[in-house]
Amino acid sequence: MKKTISHKTILFTLLTLTAAITACGTQAFDTAPATTEAPAQEEEPAPTEEELAAVRYDEVVVPALADASELAQGYYYEEAIALLQEIPEEFSQDEDVVSAISAYTDALDSFVPYEQPVRHIFFHSLIVDTSLAFDGDYMENGYNYWMTTADEFRAILDQLYANQYILIDIHELAEEQTDEDGSITLTAAQPLVPEGKIPLVLSVDDVSYYDYMEHDGFPKKLVLDENGDVKNLYIHPDGTESIGDYDVMPILDTFVKEHPDFSLHGAKGIIAATGYEGTLGYRINDMESPTLEEDRQMVRTIADRLKETGWLFASHGYGHKHTASISYNTLVEDTGRWKDEIAAYVGDTDIYIYPYGEEIDYPSQKLTYLQSEGFRYFCGVWASKAFVSVKDDYVRQTRCNLDGFTMITRPQSVADLIDASGIVDPTRPELK
């Protein structure tokens, strides 16, 4: 009789075989080496003295040479030399270091005194959109006479740079000596400039962005961008806002970054501030403003940044009054308000720039008063020629306006500075 194998038996047999095979595999695996040792690594040799010196050179000398070169571009030769002289002694005789110090020393020694009266040019806030400024309303002719467009200003900078002008601090016009009693005596100085360069002082009036300028194509105010640089807020006709170079200060700052040899020791210009509508675009005189304290702090911050980057401030009178014709008491009141409401936020100054360019008498009671308030540099407006006069206790300098009136009606008076025929904006209407 044939014996039959049941399904249970087959299943049991298969399970037994599977377990045996698994056990064998596990045993085989367990008997294999647990890990494979990596081949031994050879130790890297220690860096040589020459290699360490090369690394140190790259870390110490190369950055110092680069920083010194940047200083030298702005004619900070003494500072560049001092920086290189601080390099560790082991590199003090390096060929590149010695050569750079020699070159900067020669450049410093090559400065020459400028023996002619120094020119002083000035502007008002710039017209950005001429279609809004020259739109036929009652303000058009005033803008056409006394304002400069942003495009014209950029063209003026190009020509001044090409004609070898270089911006200087107005204080280069005189040497100050403090006497035993604390008083200051001034003596005339001839600014030292690189050979072939012509010194120039620049200023910009008001910088208040007055209410009357709104909607006429001018910037709104000064601000700081994300890098901490001074720029303008400009509001386009459709209401969109832009932050950028729309007025004298940021445009000139950018130009000097691109042409550092246009500025002697970082000098930029003078902001001749009024006060009756605040300053820098902030109504810090409006006691009802909900942002009064915030605006005052912003003015402080912007003014500090401007001064850090080569700008100076001057009084242009609180109310932009005719200094020559107002009474003595009115001048005292006006100056006191400027000190209290503007200087308190932008800082004190020794520069007084006359509103309307109208000078007072020298000497006079008004002059004595302004001097008692710390003013020693006084600037009027004569467009036809440069003029500087230094006395023991004050300096006078004339300014010339590079605006529509000057460039169109008497371009010959500024021919030593620019060729106005290649600058005047073609969108300007006819002067009336």
Side-chain angles (χ1 to χ4, degrees), residues 112-118 173 188-193 197-199 388:
V112 295
Y114 186 76
E115 299 177 351
Q116 302 298 318
V118 174
L173 302 179
Q190 295 175 332
L192 293 174
V193 295
K197 294 291 186 178
I198 308 170
V388 176

Side-chain angles (χ1 to χ4, degrees), residues 63-73 76 79-81 83-84 100 104:
L65 287 168
D67 291 344
S69 177
E70 185 173 349
L71 286 168
Q73 290 179 44
Y76 289 102
E79 292 79 358
I81 293 168
L83 176 64
L84 294 179
Y104 300 151

